């Protein structure tokens, strides 16, 4: 609980998906405090696991091969600051 940890997920998208003009990433729950990036593009930050989060993704942040990263901050250190 005193250190941060990183979750990474690599995934591929077909060209037919990349032809769309609007992209949304939705989380029903993300544990407490986290910074979310997709291929290096900052999507946003979460601060409550009881609230759903939806992020709009710019087309320039997507590629055929992608990596979603979620950096979970220590809730104890976050609360202390």
């Amino acid at each position: 609980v005193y250190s941060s940890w990183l979750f990474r997920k690599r995934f591929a998208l077909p060209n037919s998906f990349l032809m769309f003009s609007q992209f949304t990433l939705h989380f029903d729950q993300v544990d407490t405090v986290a910074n979310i990036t997709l291929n290096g593009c900052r999507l946003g930050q979460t601060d409550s696991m009881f609230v759903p989060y939806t992020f709009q993704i710019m087309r320039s942040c997507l590629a055929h091969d992608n990596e979603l990263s979620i950096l979970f901050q220590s809730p104890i250190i976050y609360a202390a600051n």
Side-chain angles (χ1 to χ4, degrees):
V1 294
Y2 290 99
S3 60
S4 299
W5 61 277
L6 180 64
F7 167 84
R8 288 186 183 148
K9 174 66 177 174
R10 292 190 174 111
F11 61 96
L13 294 173
N15 289 334
S16 59
F17 183 86
L18 294 172
M19 292 175 52
F20 292 106
S21 60
Q22 295 182 353
F23 305 92
T24 303
L25 181 62
H26 178 79
F27 295 92
D28 286 329
Q29 289 183 315
V30 177
D31 190 21
T32 315
V33 182
N35 289 298
I36 302 170
T37 61
L38 178 63
N39 298 329
C41 296
R42 187 176 190 280
L43 299 183
Q45 181 175 351
T46 65
D47 60 9
S48 174
M49 70 178 289
F50 301 106
V51 176
Y53 291 91
T54 301
F55 301 103
Q56 300 302 315
I57 303 171
M58 296 184 342
R59 172 62 183 92
S60 60
C61 293
L62 289 172
H64 177 70
D65 295 314
N66 301 277
E67 182 176 89
L68 176 68
S69 298
I70 306 174
L71 178 60
F72 293 94
Q73 297 178 4
S74 163
I76 293 175
I77 294 173
Y78 178 81
N81 293 329

